[in-house]
Amino acid sequence: MLMPEHEQVHKRTSRPVWSYFFPLIPSMILIFGALPIVVGFYVLQRFFHFFWFTSIWHFVLFPFVIFIGAVLLFISELYITGGIVRLFNITYNAGTHQYSYKDKETLKWTLICVLYTPFRKLLEIFPLGRVKQTYLRLLGMKIGKNSLVGGVIKDPCLTEFGDNVTMGEYAIIYAHIHNMQYETIFMDKIQVGNNCVIGAGAIIMPGAILEDDVVVAAGALVTKGQRLSKGKLYGGIPAKEILKKTIQ
């Protein structure tokens, strides 16, 4: 049933004032993380007059200095945001929640989005291997031994990988679904067993369970709450078991 127009307007204007400062959080973290880099540049200039370029070596070393500074800045941002999440235990629970700042689980999900999303985008461009997996662990993701997270994890705290899991490039794992018609957000855990392979470009939706030794073909769609049986190969939209043809 549709709500009266005046109630809908009221609902749209009921956003708390403090929530408008959320987009400023990444900028504040960026500034804070840049402080050690600024200090490093100051030392180079103060004691070595590096940025006066009084020697040909200064020109040669300048690109390396900028590169090292950028890498250190990026890594510091990852560990600052991950440390905040870990220190304050900012995780959200499975369930259907109101899409409102008044809902604690939605509020924590929003805060994670603000902290995680900008740097997740950078990780998609500059995959740093073990650094990325350490970062995801700080955000609450469980990752087994010898596993490779090559794609995008939207909700680390609701995602679990077993041992020897391979996740291909451009694969995406969603543990939440928005429903703006009812202004709700549905969240559910995703479990990936041992020795699983998730092909490039595959999409896995909330509540999916991949038992051990499952292979999801490239571009497949594992639907909400779908359970993939042990040792099977799945492909297509939606994902269905692919049977091997017997040679007669």
Side-chain angles (χ1 to χ4, degrees):
M1 184 176 67
L2 294 176
M3 295 175 59
E5 185 177 353
H6 70 279
E7 292 187 19
Q8 292 181 11
V9 172
H10 174 73
K11 198 162 191 176
R12 287 196 297 267
T13 58
S14 61
R15 180 176 176 180
V17 176
W18 53 263
S19 68
Y20 290 95
F21 292 94
F22 267 32
L24 298 177
I25 294 176
S27 300
M28 295 170 61
I29 292 174
L30 182 63
I31 294 171
F32 183 75
L35 290 178
I37 313 302
V38 174
V39 171
F41 285 175
Y42 172 78
V43 170
L44 286 175
Q45 177 61 22
R46 178 68 176 80
F47 297 101
F48 302 99
H49 305 290
F50 183 85
F51 295 104
W52 288 123
F53 297 103
T54 56
S55 168
I56 187 64
W57 286 107
H58 291 179
F59 288 94
V60 173
L61 294 175
F62 180 70
F64 296 95
V65 171
I66 296 300
F67 175 76
I68 292 172
V71 170
L72 291 177
L73 174 62
F74 182 37
I75 293 176
S76 69
E77 299 298 331
L78 293 181
Y79 282 99
I80 289 172
T81 54
I84 290 172
V85 172
R86 187 66 175 265
L87 179 64
F88 295 100
N89 192 29
I90 307 173
T91 58
Y92 41 88
N93 297 311
T96 301
H97 310 289
Q98 287 298 312
Y99 198 65
S100 166
Y101 287 101
K102 296 179 181 179
D103 189 296
K104 291 183 179 180
E105 300 302 323
T106 302
L107 176 61
K108 290 187 286 185
W109 174 82
T110 304
L111 185 56
I112 288 290
C113 288
V114 170
L115 292 170
Y116 171 48
T117 302
F119 305 106
R120 173 176 62 78
K121 295 291 185 181
L122 291 175
L123 282 171
E124 293 174 19
I125 302 172
F126 306 105
L128 297 178
R130 292 188 180 278
V131 173
K132 176 181 179 180
Q133 297 197 175
T134 301
Y135 182 52
L136 289 172
R137 287 190 174 102
L138 286 174
L139 297 177
M141 182 176 176
K142 297 179 180 178
I143 306 175
K145 298 178 181 179
N146 195 39
S147 290
L148 173 65
V149 184
V152 177
I153 306 294
K154 291 286 190 176
D155 303 272
C157 66
L158 293 179
T159 306
E160 179 178 345
F161 275 17
D163 298 332
N164 306 310
V165 174
T166 303
M167 181 180 179
E169 194 174 12
Y170 304 119
I172 304 178
I173 293 181
Y174 290 92
H176 72 271
I177 299 176
H178 299 276
N179 189 330
M180 299 312 295
Q181 178 183 0
Y182 300 105
E183 297 195 2
T184 59
I185 179 169
F186 171 78
M187 309 175 187
D188 203 357
K189 292 183 178 180
I190 293 175
Q191 298 177 348
V192 180
N194 300 321
N195 312 312
C196 291
V197 176
I198 302 171
I203 299 176
I204 299 179
M205 299 303 288
I209 298 176
L210 281 63
E211 298 181 357
D212 294 346
D213 305 302
V214 163
V215 176
V216 178
L221 171 63
V222 181
T223 58
K224 173 184 172 183
Q226 187 174 1
R227 189 182 191 100
L228 307 188
S229 301
K230 180 178 180 180
K232 303 293 185 179
L233 169 63
Y234 292 83
I237 302 175
K240 296 180 180 179
E241 183 181 350
I242 299 175
L243 300 175
K244 296 181 181 179
K245 294 182 180 181
T246 56
I247 301 176
Q248 298 181 353

